[in-house]
Amino acid sequence: MTIESIPRTIWWNEGKVYLIDQTRLPLQGDVLVCSTHEGVLLAIRSLAVRGAPALGVAAALALALWSEKEGAEIGSVDEYLARMAEVAAEITAARPTAVNLSWGAERILATAREAARADGGLATEGLRAAVLEESLGMLDEDEERNRSLGAHGAGLLAEKSRVLTHCNAGSLATAYYGTALGVIFSAHEQSKIAHVWVDETRPVNQGGRLTAWELRMAGVPFALIADSMAASIMRNGWVDAVIVGADRIAVNGDTANKIGTYGLAVLAKAHDVPFYVVAPSSTVDFSLPSGEGIVIEERDPRELEGFTVSGTFESGSPEASKAFDMLTSEGAYEVPLAKGHAMTIDRKGGAYAFDAWFRMTPPNINTFNPAFDVTPAELITAIITEKGIVRPDPDYKTALADALGA
Ligand code: MRU
């Protein structure tokens, strides 16, 4: 069992984008095939592809798909660039917190604009070739960055480290290899990891579903815990480092990451445990002075009110195919349960696949479901990037710019 057992997250083949549907992991290993940019957009909105660096690559590949399909129909360079900018804005708006989405889209826009300048603005063919080459290059580039930040981070860990991680900042959150888990994989290869505590990460359970899946595939020893257990585990002295990813880092070092990260940073400080943020340089937003300006995505209350189980009907069973026929004709239907509870079944993706959502709470209650929080820079021991390690500094912006060569 090694990291190589983990399949790639997203790839391009013969004019289509393929991605692992992360909403259906770990029970189902479905691959979504997107032949239009709208397909990738849907995948981003539904969390089929998620995690900041993976979102950056998905944005780039969505634009490449647009360029190869709709863009190929446009003769005028000006019109191609104007329409691409509209599509890029649509992609960027799909999820507001992770900066990588706009970073990926803007990089492809810049590539197209640059190709237009070089081409003298005469033909869109040259632009399309440049866009495709740039977006495909970002897949390998992301993996290289992650392997490099993994090596930097592993150097910070002592022998027999017991680390705690939150959410999924693994291979699935990137094109390949992962950021926080990249450090853990790299340290594991050096036999430095004694144990990983995996926060389940309510309400979407990226830890329990995705991080646990990756660590098991890679043969890294771990135990899953409920988020509320981190405090007592730290108090018991069982954690040597907390290692998390990031969705956006402001230039003063404030860092947005999955909801619950800030609480872990406070706990780490209280128990004198180093708290490391691991992210590629593309996650640093040099336009943002502090974490106060970070827009926090609020998600569907149903994530809090119930839980979803993904499944596939047994294709040979008449009862199952009767149920599936109902789904095909109705799309989704609600099964009334006693005492106002409910179960909704939705057809999902390919043949016989479904999602069943079960209500756990009373109906018609108020909820608040922010998907991210911001950890202030002073609680972060170091930010680990592919270019090196940045430690708190009175002039954090210059320290980040120097380290990243920005
Ligand atoms: O809502 P998600 O699953 O996209 O959130 C992902 C996270 O918060 C990750 O921790 C973060 O993107 C870092 S991924 C390398």
Side-chain angles (χ1 to χ4, degrees):
M1 280 182 301
T2 64
I3 160 81
E4 318 303 335
S5 323
I6 300 173
R8 304 199 79 80
T9 307
I10 179 164
W11 63 99
W12 174 279
N13 189 29
E14 294 184 357
K16 291 185 180 138
V17 172
Y18 292 73
L19 45 94
I20 297 179
D21 184 348
Q22 298 187 36
T23 62
R24 297 178 59 74
L25 282 174
L27 294 179
Q28 315 280 326
D30 302 5
V31 171
L32 288 180
V33 186
C34 306
S35 46
T36 62
H37 75 278
E38 285 100 343
V40 181
L41 204 52
L42 267 179
I44 292 171
R45 289 200 183 109
S46 69
L47 305 188
V49 61
R50 35 109 355 244
L55 289 173
V57 175
L61 291 178
L63 281 179
L65 263 185
W66 172 84
S67 172
E68 289 299 295
K69 300 278 150 65
E70 277 184 47
E73 309 284 306
I74 302 175
S76 140
V77 166
D78 285 347
E79 198 189 325
Y80 173 101
L81 290 176
R83 178 71 189 121
M84 184 187 252
E86 284 170 12
V87 177
E90 202 184 344
I91 293 168
T92 300
R95 295 194 69 196
T97 305
V99 69
N100 311 59
L101 208 48
S102 59
W103 169 85
E106 271 161 27
R107 182 160 154 180
I108 296 303
L109 254 184
T111 300
R113 286 180 181 140
E114 182 49 41
R117 262 194 297 276
D119 230 12
L122 293 178
T124 55
E125 267 159 57
L127 276 64
R128 292 200 341 255
V131 160
L132 190 57
E133 190 186 336
E134 183 76 3
S135 55
L136 296 188
M138 284 164 71
L139 286 163
D140 291 338
E141 181 193 274
D142 187 60
E143 178 180 347
E144 273 163 37
R145 285 177 168 175
N146 296 331
R147 288 192 185 267
S148 164
L149 53 79
H152 284 303
L156 292 175
L157 297 181
E159 299 295 323
K160 299 196 182 132
S161 281
R162 297 153 306 169
V163 302
L164 186 147
T165 191
H166 189 64
C167 192
N168 173 265
S171 192
L172 289 164
T174 63
Y176 200 63
Y177 201 71
T179 58
L181 286 198
V183 170
I184 290 170
F185 291 141
S186 178
H188 175 66
E189 275 163 25
Q190 299 168 24
S191 306
K192 278 179 154 184
I193 298 290
H195 183 77
V196 183
W197 298 106
V198 176
D199 265 4
E200 97 189 299
T201 319
R202 278 283 293 151
V204 179
N205 290 312
Q206 289 94 333
R209 293 187 302 109
L210 309 176
T211 298
W213 183 75
E214 286 193 32
L215 292 180
R216 204 175 68 155
M217 294 273 246
V220 181
F222 72 95
L224 179 66
I225 53 169
D227 303 337
S228 50
M229 295 169 188
S232 63
I233 286 174
M234 281 195 223
R235 188 173 164 80
N236 287 345
W238 296 344
V239 180
D240 301 306
V242 177
I243 308 181
V244 297
D247 288 88
R248 192 182 291 251
I249 301 174
V251 289
N252 72 341
D254 291 352
T255 294
N257 192 49
K258 181 53 56 195
I259 190 78
T261 303
Y262 169 47
L264 285 175
V266 172
L267 285 175
K269 185 85 167 178
H271 295 95
D272 209 16
V273 171
F275 184 89
Y276 297 119
V277 166
V278 191
S281 48
S282 53
T283 305
V284 179
D285 183 349
F286 277 97
S287 73
L288 199 68
S290 81
E292 272 175 42
I294 298 177
V295 177
I296 300 292
E297 175 182 358
E298 265 191 60
R299 294 193 55 85
D300 192 332
R302 282 163 66 100
E303 289 178 357
L304 281 176
E305 291 169 349
F307 66 95
T308 301
V309 177
S310 301
T312 302
F313 289 116
E314 177 56 68
S315 58
S317 134
E319 293 81 7
S321 70
K322 212 191 269 171
F324 191 71
D325 283 349
M326 247 174 111
L327 282 187
T328 356
S329 57
E330 297 186 26
Y333 62 85
E334 193 147 310
V335 185
L337 303 178
K339 302 195 173 165
H341 286 249
M343 170 181 158
T344 310
I345 308 186
D346 269 292
R347 186 157 41 94
K348 187 81 196 279
Y352 288 95
F354 69 89
D355 274 352
W357 176 83
F358 298 87
R359 175 178 287 285
M360 297 188 297
T361 63
N364 307 318
I365 56 164
N366 293 326
T367 55
F368 176 49
N369 188 20
F372 302 93
D373 59 24
V374 176
T375 299
E378 61 267 22
L379 296 178
I380 299 170
T381 311
I383 297 175
I384 300 165
T385 76
E386 79 278 12
K387 297 195 178 158
I389 293 161
V390 187
R391 294 190 183 268
D393 192 292
D395 184 359
Y396 222 124
K397 184 174 183 177
T398 306
L400 270 172
D402 285 351
L404 306 183

